[in-house]
Amino acid sequence: MTQQNFCALLLSTVIAMPLAAQIGSTPERSPFRDVEKRQEVSLIVGPSFGGKDRAGAAPRGGIVFGARYDLRLGGSPLAFTSSLTQQTATRDILQPGQPLANRVGRTISQSLYFFDAGLTMLLTGSKSWHSLQPMVTAGVGIATGAPVNADSSRFDFGTRFGFHVNAGVKYAPVKSRWSVRADLSNRFYAVPYPTTFSDSTPGAPRIVPLGVTKSWTRNTVLSIGLVRGFGRR
């Protein structure tokens, strides 16, 4: 083989490689399938692992249940996401001015309500891979504590603004309106402290140091959901 013929063969091979890669699998054998439904409503439930704040006064984890809505934004890999959930929780009534051994007066139940909105990035775009759709979500929201009887320490969870991040995967069978999803989400919000938490009493340490008026905490939820799709893209 002459040098010219070898160069011509090498050049034709290099050109043919990208063309072959573009051919890929036939549509029937491709692992990717179009996801036809543009909107989804999910019923979700799962355990919550509420992060402990600095003072130990915030509501702790329980069971979360609620609903989520997703709307794909045109032909982009983005979707608008919103959710409304309730979390069962318990928290300690703290007693400022008491020794550490007597600091917790009692434990009460206090549910939390979350409303979140954000954007979801569909990592496989408008298609599923082997019927799976991985995704990540980020957004903002509010957390509200259910009313409780008067707290002697004057602690009040109130309504808190925060943000959340989420990673999930959905199993969407071909040609089915129903699918299931699993999500791991983290909400971050600041827990407010009353001035009584930094009061000084002889022989009893402060609950929090002077000048500390809040503490950021993380609320982690592992959920599963039943999803109903509707509407054409």
Side-chain angles (χ1 to χ4, degrees):
M1 178 182 293
T2 66
Q3 182 177 359
Q4 291 83 353
N5 290 338
F6 175 79
C7 291
L9 178 61
L10 179 62
L11 180 60
S12 63
T13 302
V14 171
I15 294 176
M17 286 175 62
L19 295 177
Q22 294 177 21
I23 295 174
S25 305
T26 62
E28 296 78 14
R29 300 180 61 184
S30 173
F32 293 95
R33 291 287 188 272
D34 289 333
V35 177
E36 298 294 338
K37 307 307 177 187
R38 186 183 178 195
Q39 303 178 68
E40 293 177 345
V41 173
S42 308
L43 298 178
I44 55 179
V45 64
S48 168
F49 309 94
K52 186 176 181 180
D53 64 292
R54 185 169 184 173
R60 298 183 291 271
I63 300 298
V64 171
F65 53 92
R68 168 174 170 154
Y69 171 74
D70 291 89
L71 172 65
R72 285 189 12 222
L73 303 179
S76 75
L78 296 176
F80 168 77
T81 298
S82 62
S83 64
L84 179 63
T85 54
Q86 178 182 352
Q87 173 185 310
T88 63
T90 59
R91 71 174 179 88
D92 294 330
I93 300 291
L94 303 185
Q95 303 183 104
Q98 294 293 324
L100 288 176
N102 301 324
R103 175 153 293 171
V104 177
R106 59 194 176 96
T107 300
I108 64 172
S109 297
Q110 183 178 25
S111 294
L112 296 178
Y113 299 90
F114 299 99
F115 175 73
D116 298 307
L119 288 177
T120 294
M121 170 71 75
L122 305 171
L123 300 184
T124 53
S126 60
K127 297 179 180 294
S128 64
W129 178 78
H130 292 292
S131 297
L132 298 176
Q133 265 193 305
M135 62 195 75
V136 292
T137 301
V140 297
I142 58 174
T144 300
V148 297
N149 294 331
D151 187 325
S152 57
S153 70
R154 299 203 297 252
F155 174 83
D156 180 18
F157 185 87
T159 298
R160 317 305 302 167
F161 289 92
F163 62 95
H164 66 275
V165 292
N166 176 86
V169 61
K170 183 178 65 175
Y171 175 69
V174 178
K175 297 182 180 180
S176 175
R177 289 180 176 269
W178 295 94
S179 53
V180 293
R181 65 182 303 139
D183 293 277
L184 178 64
S185 61
N186 282 289
R187 292 187 180 89
F188 302 86
Y189 47 81
V191 178
Y193 293 150
T195 56
T196 57
F197 277 20
S198 56
D199 286 348
S200 176
T201 302
R206 296 181 174 93
I207 294 179
V208 295
L210 283 173
V212 176
T213 60
K214 63 182 179 180
S215 173
W216 280 88
T217 188
R218 179 181 65 185
N219 194 322
T220 302
V221 177
L222 178 62
S223 65
I224 58 173
L226 179 64
V227 186
R228 178 68 156 82
F230 58 97
R232 293 285 181 177
R233 55 178 181 160

